[in-house]
PDB file of all heavy atoms in Angstrom:
ATOM      1  N   ALA A   8      56.032   9.425-178.771  1.00 39.00           N
ATOM      2  CA  ALA A   8      57.063   9.595-179.789  1.00 39.00           C
ATOM      3  C   ALA A   8      56.864  10.969-180.405  1.00 39.00           C
ATOM      4  O   ALA A   8      55.777  11.536-180.311  1.00 39.00           O
ATOM      5  CB  ALA A   8      56.949   8.502-180.860  1.00 39.00           C
ATOM      6  N   PRO A   9      57.915  11.537-181.028  1.00 40.00           N
ATOM      7  CA  PRO A   9      57.748  12.832-181.681  1.00 40.00           C
ATOM      8  C   PRO A   9      56.634  12.759-182.720  1.00 40.00           C
ATOM      9  O   PRO A   9      56.551  11.821-183.499  1.00 40.00           O
ATOM     10  CB  PRO A   9      59.114  13.074-182.341  1.00 40.00           C
ATOM     11  CG  PRO A   9      60.067  12.256-181.548  1.00 40.00           C
ATOM     12  CD  PRO A   9      59.300  11.038-181.125  1.00 40.00           C
ATOM     13  N   ASN A  11      53.881  15.299-185.375  1.00 56.00           N
ATOM     14  CA  ASN A  11      53.585  16.582-185.989  1.00 56.00           C
ATOM     15  C   ASN A  11      52.193  17.025-185.567  1.00 56.00           C
ATOM     16  O   ASN A  11      51.272  16.220-185.449  1.00 56.00           O
ATOM     17  CB  ASN A  11      53.643  16.469-187.518  1.00 56.00           C
ATOM     18  CG  ASN A  11      55.049  16.198-188.010  1.00 56.00           C
ATOM     19  OD1 ASN A  11      56.014  16.745-187.473  1.00 56.00           O
ATOM     20  ND2 ASN A  11      55.171  15.351-189.034  1.00 56.00           N
ATOM     21  N   GLU A  26      34.485  14.066-168.002  1.00 74.00           N
ATOM     22  CA  GLU A  26      35.231  15.297-167.742  1.00 74.00           C
ATOM     23  C   GLU A  26      36.369  14.974-166.790  1.00 74.00           C
ATOM     24  O   GLU A  26      36.174  14.376-165.739  1.00 74.00           O
ATOM     25  CB  GLU A  26      34.336  16.365-167.124  1.00 74.00           C
ATOM     26  CG  GLU A  26      33.393  17.028-168.113  1.00 74.00           C
ATOM     27  CD  GLU A  26      32.715  18.246-167.508  1.00 74.00           C
ATOM     28  OE1 GLU A  26      32.893  18.483-166.304  1.00 74.00           O
ATOM     29  OE2 GLU A  26      32.004  18.947-168.241  1.00 74.00           O
ATOM     30  N   LYS A  60      54.814  31.497-186.875  1.00 79.00           N
ATOM     31  CA  LYS A  60      55.408  31.286-188.194  1.00 79.00           C
ATOM     32  C   LYS A  60      56.731  30.529-188.069  1.00 79.00           C
ATOM     33  O   LYS A  60      57.600  30.877-187.288  1.00 79.00           O
ATOM     34  CB  LYS A  60      55.649  32.633-188.885  1.00 79.00           C
ATOM     35  CG  LYS A  60      56.133  32.507-190.316  1.00 79.00           C
ATOM     36  CD  LYS A  60      56.261  33.873-190.977  1.00 79.00           C
ATOM     37  CE  LYS A  60      56.720  33.739-192.420  1.00 79.00           C
ATOM     38  NZ  LYS A  60      56.854  35.057-193.086  1.00 79.00           N
ATOM     39  N   LEU A  65      51.680  26.652-180.649  1.00 77.00           N
ATOM     40  CA  LEU A  65      50.302  27.122-180.681  1.00 77.00           C
ATOM     41  C   LEU A  65      50.142  28.372-179.823  1.00 77.00           C
ATOM     42  O   LEU A  65      50.619  28.429-178.695  1.00 77.00           O
ATOM     43  CB  LEU A  65      49.371  26.023-180.172  1.00 77.00           C
ATOM     44  CG  LEU A  65      47.877  26.329-180.153  1.00 77.00           C
ATOM     45  CD1 LEU A  65      47.358  26.493-181.563  1.00 77.00           C
ATOM     46  CD2 LEU A  65      47.144  25.205-179.437  1.00 77.00           C
ATOM     47  N   LEU A  76      43.869  47.270-162.539  1.00 97.00           N
ATOM     48  CA  LEU A  76      43.329  48.260-161.619  1.00 97.00           C
ATOM     49  C   LEU A  76      44.424  48.924-160.792  1.00 97.00           C
ATOM     50  O   LEU A  76      44.381  50.139-160.557  1.00 97.00           O
ATOM     51  CB  LEU A  76      42.287  47.606-160.714  1.00 97.00           C
ATOM     52  CG  LEU A  76      41.601  48.508-159.692  1.00 97.00           C
ATOM     53  CD1 LEU A  76      40.941  49.704-160.358  1.00 97.00           C
ATOM     54  CD2 LEU A  76      40.571  47.700-158.891  1.00 97.00           C
ATOM     55  N   VAL A  85      42.358  58.158-156.882  1.00 98.00           N
ATOM     56  CA  VAL A  85      40.974  57.712-156.712  1.00 98.00           C
ATOM     57  C   VAL A  85      40.173  58.102-157.955  1.00 98.00           C
ATOM     58  O   VAL A  85      40.197  59.256-158.392  1.00 98.00           O
ATOM     59  CB  VAL A  85      40.347  58.339-155.453  1.00 98.00           C
ATOM     60  CG1 VAL A  85      38.885  57.906-155.323  1.00 98.00           C
ATOM     61  CG2 VAL A  85      41.131  57.923-154.209  1.00 98.00           C
ATOM     62  N   HIS A  87      36.754  58.551-160.481  1.00 96.00           N
ATOM     63  CA  HIS A  87      35.418  59.128-160.355  1.00 96.00           C
ATOM     64  C   HIS A  87      34.453  58.069-159.841  1.00 96.00           C
ATOM     65  O   HIS A  87      34.572  56.886-160.178  1.00 96.00           O
ATOM     66  CB  HIS A  87      34.961  59.652-161.716  1.00 96.00           C
ATOM     67  CG  HIS A  87      33.695  60.445-161.668  1.00 96.00           C
ATOM     68  ND1 HIS A  87      32.443  59.857-161.656  1.00 96.00           N
ATOM     69  CD2 HIS A  87      33.485  61.796-161.627  1.00 96.00           C
ATOM     70  CE1 HIS A  87      31.510  60.794-161.606  1.00 96.00           C
ATOM     71  NE2 HIS A  87      32.114  61.973-161.591  1.00 96.00           N
ATOM     72  N   ILE A  90      32.931  55.560-162.275  1.00 97.00           N
ATOM     73  CA  ILE A  90      33.860  54.537-162.760  1.00 97.00           C
ATOM     74  C   ILE A  90      34.146  53.526-161.660  1.00 97.00           C
ATOM     75  O   ILE A  90      34.173  52.311-161.900  1.00 97.00           O
ATOM     76  CB  ILE A  90      35.164  55.187-163.258  1.00 97.00           C
ATOM     77  CG1 ILE A  90      34.874  56.103-164.447  1.00 97.00           C
ATOM     78  CG2 ILE A  90      36.186  54.124-163.645  1.00 97.00           C
ATOM     79  CD1 ILE A  90      36.077  56.878-164.938  1.00 97.00           C
ATOM     80  N   SER A 107      28.294  30.938-157.453  1.00 94.00           N
ATOM     81  CA  SER A 107      26.987  30.330-157.712  1.00 94.00           C
ATOM     82  C   SER A 107      27.094  28.976-158.407  1.00 94.00           C
ATOM     83  O   SER A 107      26.092  28.282-158.574  1.00 94.00           O
ATOM     84  CB  SER A 107      26.131  31.261-158.585  1.00 94.00           C
ATOM     85  OG  SER A 107      26.673  31.364-159.897  1.00 94.00           O
ATOM     86  N   THR A 109      28.014  24.983-159.002  1.00 89.00           N
ATOM     87  CA  THR A 109      27.873  23.778-158.175  1.00 89.00           C
ATOM     88  C   THR A 109      28.847  22.711-158.664  1.00 89.00           C
ATOM     89  O   THR A 109      28.652  22.163-159.753  1.00 89.00           O
ATOM     90  CB  THR A 109      26.440  23.246-158.227  1.00 89.00           C
ATOM     91  OG1 THR A 109      25.535  24.286-157.839  1.00 89.00           O
ATOM     92  CG2 THR A 109      26.279  22.065-157.284  1.00 89.00           C
ATOM     93  N   LYS A 144      31.860  22.926-146.531  1.00 62.00           N
ATOM     94  CA  LYS A 144      31.941  24.046-145.602  1.00 62.00           C
ATOM     95  C   LYS A 144      33.273  24.043-144.874  1.00 62.00           C
ATOM     96  O   LYS A 144      33.709  23.047-144.319  1.00 62.00           O
ATOM     97  CB  LYS A 144      30.794  23.945-144.591  1.00 62.00           C
ATOM     98  CG  LYS A 144      30.710  25.088-143.600  1.00 62.00           C
ATOM     99  CD  LYS A 144      30.245  26.378-144.242  1.00 62.00           C
ATOM    100  CE  LYS A 144      29.979  27.453-143.191  1.00 62.00           C
ATOM    101  NZ  LYS A 144      29.629  28.740-143.790  1.00 62.00           N
ATOM    102  N   PRO A 152      46.590  31.812-149.297  1.00 76.00           N
ATOM    103  CA  PRO A 152      46.802  31.544-150.714  1.00 76.00           C
ATOM    104  C   PRO A 152      47.054  32.780-151.563  1.00 76.00           C
ATOM    105  O   PRO A 152      47.764  32.719-152.561  1.00 76.00           O
ATOM    106  CB  PRO A 152      45.485  30.866-151.132  1.00 76.00           C
ATOM    107  CG  PRO A 152      44.480  31.361-150.146  1.00 76.00           C
ATOM    108  CD  PRO A 152      45.225  31.502-148.861  1.00 76.00           C
ATOM    109  N   GLY A 153      46.471  33.932-151.210  1.00 81.00           N
ATOM    110  CA  GLY A 153      46.581  35.123-152.036  1.00 81.00           C
ATOM    111  C   GLY A 153      47.551  36.142-151.477  1.00 81.00           C
ATOM    112  O   GLY A 153      48.436  35.833-150.689  1.00 81.00           O
ATOM    113  N   SER A 154      47.362  37.398-151.885  1.00 88.00           N
ATOM    114  CA  SER A 154      48.217  38.490-151.431  1.00 88.00           C
ATOM    115  C   SER A 154      47.817  38.895-150.011  1.00 88.00           C
ATOM    116  O   SER A 154      46.636  39.147-149.746  1.00 88.00           O
ATOM    117  CB  SER A 154      48.071  39.672-152.394  1.00 88.00           C
ATOM    118  OG  SER A 154      48.865  40.753-151.975  1.00 88.00           O
ATOM    119  N   PRO A 159      41.817  37.346-145.291  1.00 92.00           N
ATOM    120  CA  PRO A 159      41.171  37.415-143.979  1.00 92.00           C
ATOM    121  C   PRO A 159      41.956  36.638-142.927  1.00 92.00           C
ATOM    122  O   PRO A 159      42.809  35.798-143.262  1.00 92.00           O
ATOM    123  CB  PRO A 159      39.813  36.771-144.233  1.00 92.00           C
ATOM    124  CG  PRO A 159      40.063  35.821-145.350  1.00 92.00           C
ATOM    125  CD  PRO A 159      41.091  36.484-146.231  1.00 92.00           C
ATOM    126  N   PRO A 193      46.969  46.455-143.546  1.00 93.00           N
ATOM    127  CA  PRO A 193      46.631  46.755-142.147  1.00 93.00           C
ATOM    128  C   PRO A 193      47.800  47.466-141.466  1.00 93.00           C
ATOM    129  O   PRO A 193      48.956  47.125-141.690  1.00 93.00           O
ATOM    130  CB  PRO A 193      46.380  45.372-141.545  1.00 93.00           C
ATOM    131  CG  PRO A 193      47.123  44.427-142.419  1.00 93.00           C
ATOM    132  CD  PRO A 193      47.120  45.019-143.793  1.00 93.00           C
ATOM    133  N   ALA A 198      46.946  41.472-132.821  1.00 84.00           N
ATOM    134  CA  ALA A 198      46.567  41.305-131.415  1.00 84.00           C
ATOM    135  C   ALA A 198      47.451  42.195-130.536  1.00 84.00           C
ATOM    136  O   ALA A 198      48.535  42.612-130.939  1.00 84.00           O
ATOM    137  CB  ALA A 198      46.695  39.846-130.985  1.00 84.00           C
ATOM    138  N   LYS A 225      30.540  58.556-143.807  1.00 96.00           N
ATOM    139  CA  LYS A 225      29.324  58.856-144.568  1.00 96.00           C
ATOM    140  C   LYS A 225      29.363  58.294-145.994  1.00 96.00           C
ATOM    141  O   LYS A 225      28.415  58.482-146.752  1.00 96.00           O
ATOM    142  CB  LYS A 225      29.095  60.366-144.606  1.00 96.00           C
ATOM    143  CG  LYS A 225      28.814  60.966-143.242  1.00 96.00           C
ATOM    144  CD  LYS A 225      28.520  62.450-143.333  1.00 96.00           C
ATOM    145  CE  LYS A 225      28.208  63.031-141.950  1.00 96.00           C
ATOM    146  NZ  LYS A 225      27.920  64.491-142.030  1.00 96.00           N
ATOM    147  N   PRO A 227      28.660  56.029-148.973  1.00 97.00           N
ATOM    148  CA  PRO A 227      27.499  55.131-149.132  1.00 97.00           C
ATOM    149  C   PRO A 227      27.832  53.642-149.079  1.00 97.00           C
ATOM    150  O   PRO A 227      26.935  52.831-148.853  1.00 97.00           O
ATOM    151  CB  PRO A 227      26.932  55.526-150.504  1.00 97.00           C
ATOM    152  CG  PRO A 227      28.006  56.297-151.188  1.00 97.00           C
ATOM    153  CD  PRO A 227      28.804  56.959-150.110  1.00 97.00           C
ATOM    154  N   LEU A 228      29.091  53.267-149.279  1.00 97.00           N
ATOM    155  CA  LEU A 228      29.454  51.845-149.239  1.00 97.00           C
ATOM    156  C   LEU A 228      30.199  51.464-147.953  1.00 97.00           C
ATOM    157  O   LEU A 228      30.675  50.340-147.856  1.00 97.00           O
ATOM    158  CB  LEU A 228      30.317  51.475-150.451  1.00 97.00           C
ATOM    159  CG  LEU A 228      29.640  51.511-151.813  1.00 97.00           C
ATOM    160  CD1 LEU A 228      30.586  50.993-152.899  1.00 97.00           C
ATOM    161  CD2 LEU A 228      28.357  50.708-151.827  1.00 97.00           C
TER     162      LEU A 228
END
Side-chain angles (χ1 to χ4, degrees):
N11 293 321
E26 284 190 354
K60 186 176 181 180
L65 181 66
L76 181 56
V85 178
H87 189 278
I90 297 175
S107 68
T109 305
K144 183 71 172 176
S154 179
K225 295 183 179 180
L228 292 185

